């Protein structure tokens, strides 16, 4: 009986490893978080490339439906040779999700740091999407990818080296946009260093903060905000 | 004749429309700032007044255009003088890839080159 259990466990682990390390397949899904300006669905295609010294997360994103001709092509590269690891951000010319060195960069459309103060974030598809339903294999794969993303811990972030006259800044630089969120329960993890550190949240991150709190994704299971903290957070989100 | 002059004067005045004005903060220290005031002249030209930290005032002219990127639409405005250039990239709201919303009212970036000196700013529209 023990042998059978062990065999089943081994098969499951092997399957999971096969799924997580198979680079050939991109996952297409409707985003739970992202909405276009007219509140329409935003679609993402994501692919992960695993190299010895780096992980490459590539994404094609469409704000104009699944049939859009041109999708915004983006990449986050995790440099695993550094401690803490370094997340480098890229906006690339539209194209396929295939990674190679020297892909042509284009100006950022938006500031990456607004939503990514700590590198790649957990991938959250709309599981009820009728336009881009997610097969069960892809759900498993996304769950495993999310574990991988969580395992990075605290990451340093780096703006694209690419300079352009029209480039939106990687991170808004002025004092007001860099005021930190100081709600005590949040800062248990959203701080610069420590075991569960995920980086300080700033005023420019409030769209993401708002989404996470409103959807009940934050604070995480087992943590809650006091009434005073709720009020502090509301004020911060409101800009005070 | 006087009446005609008055009508013409009124017509020119009504054509003068205020465009967006910006307050911009330096990339370097987030403190040093410049103010950008745009206006359309009586003759329909767009002109821009830049007041930089040294209290110098420049008036330059130029045109803007919309770069369509779906919901991430950007307006790019470029102004030129003989000695300088100002580029402002403006998005309609405080926007990330996930969407737009009320935020720190940051929706523009500016790059100014004047007399060979280059500086970058993040800006917000003055209310």
């Amino acid at each position: 009986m023990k042998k059978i259990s062990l065999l089943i466990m081994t098969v499951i682990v092997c399957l999971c490893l096969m799924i997580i390390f198979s680079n050939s397949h991109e996952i297409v899904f409707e985003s739970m978080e992202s909405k276009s300006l007219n509140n329409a669905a935003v679609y993402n295609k994501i692919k992960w490339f695993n190299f010895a010294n780096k992980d490459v997360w590539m994404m094609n994103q469409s704000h104009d439906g699944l049939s859009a001709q041109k999708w915004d092509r983006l990449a986050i590269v995790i440099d695993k040779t550094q401690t803490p690891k370094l997340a480098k951000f890229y906006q690339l010319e539209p194209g396929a999700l295939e990674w190679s060195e020297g892909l042509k960069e284009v100006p950022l459309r938006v500031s990456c740091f607004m939503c990514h103060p700590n590198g790649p974030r957990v991938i959250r598809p709309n599981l009820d999407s009728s336009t881009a339903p997610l097969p069960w294999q892809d759900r498993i794969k996304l769950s495993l990818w999310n574990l991988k993303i969580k395992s990075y811990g605290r990451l340093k972030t780096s703006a694209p080296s690419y300079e352009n006259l029209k480039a939106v800044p990687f991170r808004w630089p002025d004092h007001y946009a860099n005021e930190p969120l100081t709600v005590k329960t949040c800062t248990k993890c959203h701080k610069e260093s420590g075991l569960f550190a995920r980086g300080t949240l700033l005023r420019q991150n409030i769209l993401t903060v708002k989404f996470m709190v409103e959807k009940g994704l934050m604070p995480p299971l087992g943590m809650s905000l006091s009434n005073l903290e709720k009020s502090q957070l509301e004020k911060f989100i409101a800009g005070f | 004749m006087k009446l005609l002059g008055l009508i013409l004067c009124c017509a020119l005045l009504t054509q003068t429309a205020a465009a967006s004005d910006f307050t911009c903060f330096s990339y370097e220290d987030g403190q040093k700032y410049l103010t950008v005031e745009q206006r359309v002249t009586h003759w329909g030209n767009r002109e821009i007044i830049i007041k930089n930290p040294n209290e110098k005032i420049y008036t330059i002219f130029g045109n803007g255009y919309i770069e369509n990127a779906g919901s991430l639409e950007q307006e790019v405005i470029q102004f030129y003088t003989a000695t300088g250039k100002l580029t402002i990239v403006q998005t309609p709201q405080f926007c990330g890839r996930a969407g737009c919303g009320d935020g720190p009212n940051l929706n523009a970036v500016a790059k100014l080159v004047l007399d060979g000196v280059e500086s970058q700013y993040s800006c917000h529209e003055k209310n």
Side-chain angles (χ1 to χ4, degrees):
Chain A
M1 191 65 186
K2 267 186 178 176
K3 278 183 181 173
I4 294 172
S5 304
L6 194 68
L7 186 69
I8 292 170
M9 283 296 288
T10 311
V11 169
I12 291 172
V13 169
C14 286
L15 272 174
C16 287
L17 288 173
M18 269 174 63
I19 290 170
I20 196 170
F21 284 106
S22 62
N23 286 343
S24 59
H25 177 60
E26 65 190 29
I27 297 180
V28 186
F29 63 93
E30 180 187 330
S31 171
M32 181 212 273
E33 181 175 355
S34 301
K35 296 285 175 223
S36 70
L37 265 187
N38 50 11
N39 212 30
V42 168
Y43 296 95
N44 295 327
K45 296 176 184 173
I46 293 188
K47 203 169 174 182
W48 173 52
F49 300 87
N50 177 41
F51 299 101
N53 59 350
K54 67 186 170 200
D55 284 336
V56 178
W57 297 92
M58 290 189 82
M59 179 169 87
N60 269 338
Q61 185 176 69
S62 168
H63 285 238
D64 301 307
L66 277 168
S67 57
Q69 290 291 310
K70 282 188 178 176
W71 293 47
D72 279 353
R73 188 163 61 147
L74 307 143
I76 302 177
V77 176
I78 310 296
D79 182 346
K80 296 190 277 194
T81 62
Q82 301 195 28
T83 309
K85 295 181 181 72
L86 181 69
K88 297 176 189 168
F89 292 76
Y90 300 87
Q91 174 136 15
L92 303 164
E93 267 193 343
L97 292 184
E98 294 301 334
W99 178 256
S100 65
E101 297 299 331
L103 288 173
K104 190 174 179 204
E105 291 180 62
V106 294
L108 295 177
R109 284 284 181 205
V110 294
S111 153
C112 309
F113 191 82
M114 274 174 64
C115 303
H116 293 272
N118 192 55
R121 286 172 54 207
V122 166
I123 301 160
R124 295 187 177 87
N126 175 6
L127 295 175
D128 299 322
S129 173
S130 56
T131 46
L134 206 57
W136 66 268
Q137 300 96 318
D138 285 351
R139 292 183 189 214
I140 294 173
K141 194 165 184 171
L142 273 190
S143 304
L144 294 169
W145 282 2
N146 282 338
L147 283 177
K148 176 74 187 164
I149 288 168
K150 283 183 179 177
S151 76
Y152 292 137
R154 177 74 181 115
L155 289 163
K156 291 290 175 194
T157 53
S158 151
S161 53
Y162 174 72
E163 287 286 339
N164 186 287
L165 273 178
K166 296 186 298 180
V168 169
F170 166 75
R171 170 181 175 159
W172 292 99
D174 67 274
H175 175 74
Y176 180 71
N178 284 285
E179 283 178 355
L181 174 69
T182 55
V183 176
K184 211 173 174 183
T185 299
C186 306
T187 57
K188 282 178 182 166
C189 298
H190 293 289
K191 57 187 177 182
E192 288 307 299
S193 57
L195 186 60
F196 297 108
R198 286 290 185 273
T200 308
L201 291 172
L202 307 171
R203 182 95 50 197
Q204 60 191 293
N205 305 129
I206 61 168
L207 291 181
T208 307
V209 172
K210 198 175 168 197
F211 167 80
M212 297 296 284
V213 173
E214 282 178 356
K215 286 284 179 186
L217 299 164
M218 281 286 155
L221 203 64
M223 292 179 123
S224 59
L225 298 174
S226 67
N227 286 338
L228 176 65
E229 287 179 321
K230 279 179 191 165
S231 154
Q232 288 172 335
L233 188 58
E234 277 169 18
K235 279 185 183 170
F236 187 79
I237 289 172
F240 300 103
Chain B
M1 195 62 188
K2 276 184 184 172
L3 185 63
L4 185 66
L6 191 64
I7 291 168
L8 188 63
C9 189
C10 288
L12 289 173
L13 281 173
T14 51
Q15 277 176 12
T16 307
S20 304
D21 294 343
F22 298 94
T23 300
C24 301
F25 297 87
S26 166
Y27 271 25
E28 288 168 20
D29 56 12
Q31 298 295 324
K32 277 194 294 184
Y33 67 92
L34 56 83
T35 54
V36 176
E37 292 167 21
Q38 294 185 70
R39 58 188 186 212
V40 180
T41 67
H42 299 317
W43 312 109
N45 295 322
R46 204 165 178 181
E47 73 175 16
I48 189 161
I49 315 278
I50 303 167
K51 296 174 187 170
N52 76 0
N54 303 324
E55 299 298 318
K56 273 190 177 177
I57 296 174
Y58 299 86
T59 304
I60 52 180
F61 302 92
N63 285 304
Y65 61 91
I66 302 287
E67 262 200 1
N68 196 337
S71 65
L72 302 173
E73 188 178 78
Q74 297 176 332
E75 185 181 11
V76 180
I77 313 163
Q78 291 191 307
F79 297 91
Y80 297 92
T81 63
T83 58
K85 178 181 171 186
L86 174 73
T87 306
I88 299 174
V89 180
Q90 186 186 9
T91 51
Q93 294 177 59
F94 182 63
C95 294
R97 291 208 154 267
C100 301
D102 296 328
N105 198 23
L106 291 166
N107 59 357
V109 285
K111 189 164 192 170
L112 177 67
V113 184
L114 274 175
D115 300 324
V117 180
E118 182 181 302
S119 46
Q120 279 187 296
Y121 300 86
S122 64
C123 309
H124 57 81
E125 249 180 301
K126 282 197 228 169
N127 293 321

